[in-house]
Amino acid sequence: MSKTILITGSATGLGKGTAIGLAKAGHNVIATVENWPQVTQLQQDAADAGVELTVEKLDYLEPDDHDTVLRKYGDKVDIVVLNAATGQTGPVAEVPVDWIRKVFEVNVFTTLELAQRFAKSFVKRGDGKIVFVSSIAGFWILPYLAPYVASKHALEGIAQIMRHELDGTGVKVATINPGPFRTGFNDRMYDTVDQWFEAGVNFSDEAPLREMQAQMAGDDLQLDPQPMIDFMVDLIPQDEHKFRSVYPEQFVDDVRQYQEGLWTQPMTQAA
């Protein structure tokens, strides 16, 4: 059955691929992007793909954009997919806290604001689905990625509690937890450290930071995004599925081992 699906962060990467894929599958898709040039580009991308998309500007940090989108679509949307995100990187002992605040503003606070507004509409009519696009970083860590990792850990807690508290209202809550995919997002996130980190000025050792940057740019931690997009296109419209959906599933065992290991890890590593 065709559904009306609003997905944020649709200008690039998984968001764009999923928006176009859902439209190809016959759904009515409202794809939001951050700025007007991205509106124009996504409209052209949709035309090139032979699909119809409703493209709207939704800058997470502009309350007027929130009001416009909710006024136009709040009562029409069956599923909202909160996909937009940002990130910063660097040694957490030195990352300027204001940079971390900016990440939380987008990934946590504004994401929650939008979820709350759609939840109110969904509860009123007794039906609807909120999908938080989180990350395996919501329950796993990668060095020098603390702002993003911490924001996704917070989002996981919010999603889990919202699911519990909305039980019985007819509103469904779920997360999608992608692994690392070659969309450009991870590369740009690791590049942000170069805006403020200066070897010899900052006290953190630069070598392991650069090693992690190189590892993230390599093929081992950069997967083809199309299978992830296909997974999201299939999962999002479903009426019933697991609360948490990790993809690819090969990461599940690694995550579980990491979580179990936290109970026995020493405070410091041996020299």
Side-chain angles (χ1 to χ4, degrees), residues 34-230:
E34 183 179 3
N35 56 54
W36 291 113
Q38 291 173 342
V39 170
T40 302
Q41 183 61 57
L42 185 54
Q43 288 172 334
Q44 183 60 57
D45 292 340
D48 291 345
V51 299
E52 290 188 13
L53 282 183
T54 300
V55 184
E56 293 284 351
K57 176 180 176 290
L58 175 54
D59 183 336
Y60 263 37
L61 303 182
E62 290 289 342
D64 287 346
D65 284 3
H66 294 217
D67 292 340
T68 297
V69 168
L70 267 294
R71 184 180 67 250
K72 293 173 72 172
Y73 305 109
D75 295 333
K76 300 174 183 176
V77 170
D78 299 307
I79 302 170
V80 60
V81 182
L82 299 170
N83 170 71
T86 189
Q88 296 286 344
T89 192
V92 70
E94 296 194 80
V95 178
V97 173
D98 280 345
W99 292 57
I100 301 175
R101 286 194 181 98
K102 291 176 183 177
V103 173
F104 269 69
E105 190 62 48
V106 173
N107 295 3
V108 181
F109 303 132
T110 307
T111 297
L112 176 57
E113 285 178 339
L114 284 166
Q116 288 178 336
R117 295 187 70 172
F118 277 101
K120 182 178 180 179
S121 177
F122 291 168
V123 168
K124 184 177 180 180
R125 71 172 190 245
D127 184 53
K129 180 177 172 183
I130 301 168
V131 179
F132 294 95
V133 179
S134 181
S135 168
I136 62 167
F139 34 78
W140 200 25
I141 66 164
L142 285 169
Y144 305 106
L145 204 59
Y148 181 77
V149 168
S151 73
K152 292 300 185 179
H153 273 64
L155 189 64
E156 287 288 322
I158 287 169
Q160 291 170 38
I161 294 170
M162 186 177 288
R163 170 188 172 274
H164 178 77
E165 293 174 346
L166 291 179
D167 187 37
T169 66
V171 182
K172 299 167 183 173
V173 178
T175 71
I176 296 176
N177 299 75
F181 291 92
R182 190 174 290 284
T183 63
F185 180 84
N186 294 320
D187 303 80
R188 301 295 75 77
M189 184 161 51
Y190 265 95
D191 288 346
T192 59
V193 67
D194 294 320
Q195 295 179 284
W196 62 269
F197 184 88
E198 186 175 350
V201 175
N202 293 94
F203 63 78
S204 298
D205 186 359
E206 184 181 20
L209 167 61
R210 299 308 178 190
E211 289 172 6
M212 193 65 211
Q213 273 185 315
Q215 185 179 358
M216 180 56 71
D219 290 337
D220 289 344
L221 287 180
Q222 291 273 26
L223 306 175
D224 177 7
Q226 191 58 52
M228 183 73 231
I229 291 168
D230 295 341

